[in-house]
Amino acid sequence: MKVRLTSTLLFVSLAVHPLLAFGGDLKKKEDAVASIEKHKSELTDLSDQIWRFAETALRETRSSKALEDYAEKQGFEVKRGVAGMPTAFVASYGQGRPIIGILGEYDALPGISQKAQPVKEALEAGSAGHGCGHNVFGAASLGAAVAIKELIAAGKLKGTIRFYGTPAEESVGGKIYMAREGLFNDLDVCMAWHPEDKTRADVDSSQAIVDFIVEFKGKAAHAAADPWNGRSAVAALEFFTTGINRMREFVRPTVRMHYVIQKGGDVPNVVPEYARVWCWLRDSKRTGVEELLARAKKIAEGAALMAGVEYKLTVQSGDYELLVNQTGAKLIHANLTWLGPIQYTPEEQEFAKAIQRATGVEEKGLNGSIQPLLPPKPDPEGGSTDVGDVSWIVPTLHLSVTTAPEGAPWHAWPVVACGGMSIGHKGLVQAAKALAATMVDLFEDEKTREAIRAEFKAKSKGEVYKPYVPDGPPPLPKD
Ligand SMILES: [Zn+2]
């Protein structure tokens, strides 16, 4: 830390240091960074525990408990099982304004269990694995919250820090149910990050998405003896998917449409009575997704008419696109620049290159440098997150931190492998420090906070948040 402080001071004397644009006290940032260093082994232990638990959406019982218990031990007031989800929680410390929130995730992905090694081999065959690095995500965010808590406890910062334990990002979107309950409404600003193959302040949005089921109900009959008495639900399903596939030609290039057939009859000699397709539609903005959904409804209706069957379309979930805050991105970028790049050992680089060789991507190793702050792209790359929903309720600042080799496939074994060893640990520490340093600014610098909120107001244009999830409790697993 001393070396960095010296170089920072030197930099200040030679040029306008990026942090001088913001009001946060450098000494307090040093304290926050020191707190993360102090708790480093506890935080990496937490991350490793969650990595081993590898619990999937809404089953994150041990993972959420590990984070809750740690937060409680650190003096946070913890509300467990919020918004109807046993694995969702909110941990708060301090009082009064500003109230700064920070999001943490901890769900794993099914079927991609992997050892912490650069060769593909399951830790436990058929089990889940942290292929999106959410074990690191949860632990790093909590580490940043603890650092801020210590500054509040020491009387160095005033206000409230609130950590959100948000389950099921990979499926139903726990944040959407928490948002529906209004749990984010009183925040001044919210922070989030995500493991990545690069480190940067995020200025690009994510895709909006709607997730729905279409069911067709026809009439069974003997397929050879009296097919004229039958009405095939599978015929309707085929008309529906044909319609969706024909629609592909007449949508914007930013649209993504994908489906799986969940039920398509039992045996050929019975006219199928029931068929079911699960469909996701995405576009750059929620308004685009709304249009697609309206068209898909018409296609389902037409398909049912042609086949002479009934249909039912049920929206299950969906995310807003991320509402990017440029003022916030500049603040994060300044803090990342102050921290400097992640340094890797030759062994870590070799680990990464072995993965790159194994997955057929260029052997670039790990990229821990801070990416330049570029202007936002007009449309996001493919992918959605329930952080998007939070970003329409409260200004949300987002960063990415390196936890995996450049170009390595995501939601796959390389991310699991790196998330369970020192590469993931280094990403954890870097993310926690960047989040904590940025939050020092958010607590201290009212002007920047106001600028962030003004940008949010101008961009959200009074949009009334309307979650895609249906009324009623979250769909908890039954077993
Ligand atoms: Zn993820």
Side-chain angles (χ1 to χ4, degrees):
M1 218 35 255
K2 277 200 182 79
V3 175
R4 182 161 295 135
L5 185 61
T6 315
S7 63
T8 302
L9 291 174
L10 184 68
F11 187 23
V12 171
S13 68
L14 294 175
V16 179
H17 189 272
L19 279 182
L20 293 184
F22 302 104
D25 184 324
L26 271 182
K27 177 70 187 68
K28 290 175 195 170
K29 291 186 186 186
E30 293 287 349
D31 289 349
V33 163
S35 157
I36 288 151
E37 283 292 329
K38 184 178 76 189
H39 294 290
K40 193 156 106 179
S41 65
E42 294 164 9
L43 296 172
T44 52
D45 278 355
L46 263 179
S47 172
D48 288 351
Q49 271 183 52
I50 297 170
W51 184 84
R52 281 192 300 273
F53 295 153
E55 294 167 306
T56 55
L58 297 175
R59 297 174 195 272
E60 314 97 330
T61 322
R62 288 174 294 167
S63 306
S64 57
K65 187 177 184 303
L67 294 167
E68 288 161 350
D69 289 351
Y70 185 71
E72 219 160 56
K73 213 175 85 196
Q74 295 298 321
F76 282 75
E77 187 197 316
V78 181
K79 269 191 213 138
R80 298 175 190 235
V82 298
M85 294 173 289
T87 55
F89 69 99
V90 180
S92 298
Y93 186 88
Q95 49 189 322
R97 301 208 85 93
I99 312 173
I100 307 296
I102 182 161
L103 307 177
E105 296 173 3
Y106 33 83
D107 57 329
L109 286 155
I112 51 168
S113 171
Q114 166 66 30
K115 290 183 178 170
Q117 65 182 35
V119 179
K120 187 173 188 285
E121 188 189 351
L123 182 67
E124 202 182 313
S127 293
H130 272 287
C132 207
H134 293 181
N135 58 312
V136 188
F137 186 162
S141 293
L142 185 53
V146 168
I148 295 299
K149 176 250 142 182
E150 289 181 352
L151 284 166
I152 296 174
K156 293 175 181 172
L157 293 178
K158 278 194 175 54
T160 307
I161 177 76
R162 203 183 281 159
F163 174 89
Y164 290 85
T166 68
E169 191 277 332
E170 299 289 2
S171 68
V172 296
K175 294 177 200 70
I176 308 171
Y177 289 92
M178 295 169 87
R180 193 180 68 175
E181 295 282 279
L183 298 185
F184 303 105
N185 289 359
D186 62 345
L187 292 181
D188 286 276
V189 180
C190 193
M191 298 288 306
W193 77 285
H194 202 284
E196 252 284 1
D197 66 351
K198 288 191 191 66
T199 299
R200 60 164 183 264
D202 288 306
V203 292
D204 291 320
S205 183
S206 56
Q207 289 180 308
I209 182 173
V210 64
D211 165 332
F212 61 93
I213 296 279
V214 185
E215 293 165 288
F216 294 101
K217 201 159 179 281
K219 203 169 145 224
H222 193 295
D226 63 337
W228 50 87
N229 285 324
R231 295 292 179 269
S232 170
V234 167
L237 186 146
E238 287 182 308
F239 289 141
F240 175 75
T241 56
T242 303
I244 290 289
N245 289 323
R246 288 298 289 124
M247 183 165 80
R248 284 187 202 283
E249 191 180 346
F250 310 105
V251 295
R252 288 179 203 91
T254 48
V255 169
R256 297 287 182 277
M257 303 189 282
H258 17 265
Y259 59 80
V260 290
I261 294 166
Q262 292 189 305
K263 183 78 186 167
D266 295 311
V267 284
N269 62 352
V270 177
V271 174
E273 197 173 25
Y274 180 78
R276 176 180 160 114
V277 55
W278 181 16
C279 197
W280 288 8
L281 306 176
R282 310 189 204 227
D283 200 354
S284 304
K285 300 216 178 318
R286 163 102 167 201
T287 44
V289 166
E290 289 282 290
E291 261 176 50
L292 290 172
L293 180 61
R295 288 168 78 181
K297 273 183 190 157
K298 285 284 179 201
I299 291 171
E301 192 185 326
L305 265 177
M306 282 201 282
V309 304
E310 310 267 290
Y311 87 100
K312 190 175 160 204
L313 187 152
T314 312
V315 172
Q316 306 197 109
S317 187
D319 300 328
Y320 273 78
E321 75 274 19
L322 203 68
L323 190 70
V324 172
N325 196 288
Q326 290 276 113
T327 316
K330 278 180 205 151
L331 183 65
I332 291 173
H333 184 73
N335 282 292
L336 276 172
T337 308
W338 171 69
L339 279 171
I342 309 174
Q343 307 290 350
Y344 294 107
T345 63
E347 290 75 26
E348 286 162 344
Q349 289 292 5
E350 191 33 55
F351 189 100
K353 285 179 183 167
I355 286 178
Q356 286 161 333
R357 281 195 295 276
T359 52
V361 300
E362 202 183 331
E363 272 182 59
K364 289 190 197 165
L366 292 151
N367 184 350
S369 64
I370 315 299
Q371 299 302 298
L373 193 65
L374 299 173
K377 296 190 193 99
D379 290 298
E381 284 172 17
S384 312
T385 167
D386 60 3
V387 179
D389 280 54
V390 180
S391 76
W392 283 85
I393 298 168
V394 53
T396 302
L397 317 189
H398 200 281
L399 66 143
S400 297
V401 175
T402 309
T403 66
E406 236 186 318
W410 214 260
H411 279 200
W413 70 268
V415 179
V416 190
C418 294
M421 48 80 74
S422 63
I423 295 170
H425 298 164
K426 284 188 174 173
L428 185 164
V429 169
Q430 178 80 342
K433 287 178 180 174
L435 289 160
T438 306
M439 286 195 286
V440 169
D441 283 322
L442 292 174
F443 273 94
E444 291 225 294
D445 183 352
E446 200 182 332
K447 261 199 188 142
T448 299
R449 222 164 51 226
E450 273 167 14
I452 286 169
R453 291 198 63 88
E455 183 181 333
F456 168 78
K457 262 193 191 149
K459 282 185 174 166
S460 58
K461 294 190 192 94
E463 163 93 12
V464 179
Y465 173 69
K466 197 168 126 270
Y468 263 130
V469 295
D471 293 340
L476 300 177
K478 292 191 178 71
D479 48 350

